[in-house]
Amino acid sequence: MFESLMLLAVPTTVFRLLGALGVRRFASWRAAVVHGLAVLFVASGAAHFVPDGGGVMPSHDGLTAMVPPFVPLPHLVVYGTGALELLGAAGLVREATRPVAGLCLAVLLVLMLPANVYAVLEDVPLDGDPATPLWFRIPEQAVYIAVALLAAGEGGGVGHRARAGVSRR
């Protein structure tokens, strides 16, 4: 149940330690947690393409079972959301794309929440394990949404650099 939260917390801590050691990219907790979220989305997005379970994240088949019946083409939806998660992770690590990636990932997380609710209500096992209880999953999802919105709030484009007086040369 805590595995995916650890996929955010552990990389965030490692990135922040690197920041404390002088790696300027991770000089703040905000930067560290945004990069930690990118790690989480790389792991989660990759899981959408893994046919059988066995890892920390559910496999493609487990994720497909979570898709509510009203959603057409569940296998393609799982592949599509996996690709979007991987693209979002890549977007989080680039300053210029971070605000858009954060906003898009927050929207994606909201849109995927019904699958988590469906898995619990219908007792859909995820690679042999029970679905994460809603009392944990909904606040957990809220944490990921909050971090994605934190990333979206970061000015990272040309306008931000210009306002900060930073030259592009």
Side-chain angles (χ1 to χ4, degrees):
M1 178 164 51
F2 289 96
E3 293 90 353
S4 58
L5 262 182
M6 290 298 103
L7 277 173
L8 175 62
V10 171
T12 296
T13 304
V14 169
F15 290 136
R16 189 58 195 105
L17 287 172
L18 288 171
L21 293 172
V23 179
R24 290 190 309 166
R25 182 176 195 93
F26 310 119
S28 70
W29 277 104
R30 183 179 188 157
V33 75
V34 168
H35 284 80
L37 187 66
V39 170
L40 171 72
F41 274 114
V42 166
S44 177
H48 287 67
F49 298 94
V50 176
D52 295 325
V56 172
M57 306 301 283
S59 67
H60 174 81
D61 293 337
L63 293 168
T64 300
M66 290 177 61
V67 177
F70 64 83
V71 176
L73 305 168
H75 283 284
L76 290 177
V77 168
V78 170
Y79 286 130
T81 55
L84 290 173
E85 289 183 21
L86 291 170
L87 286 170
L92 288 175
V93 299
R94 292 200 61 232
E95 252 187 74
T97 55
R98 189 172 299 151
V100 171
L103 184 59
C104 289
L105 286 169
V107 169
L108 183 64
L109 286 164
V110 169
L111 292 174
M112 291 190 310
L113 188 58
N116 292 289
V117 172
Y118 172 77
V120 170
L121 295 179
E122 296 299 319
D123 201 23
V124 175
L126 302 174
D127 299 326
D129 294 328
T132 304
L134 292 178
W135 64 264
F136 185 85
R137 183 58 186 172
I138 291 173
E140 178 186 37
Q141 195 94 343
V143 167
Y144 303 147
I145 292 168
V147 175
L149 291 174
L150 179 74
E154 283 191 22
V158 174
H160 173 73
R161 282 191 288 271
R163 284 190 302 276
V166 178
S167 171
R168 289 189 56 113
R169 288 184 239 169

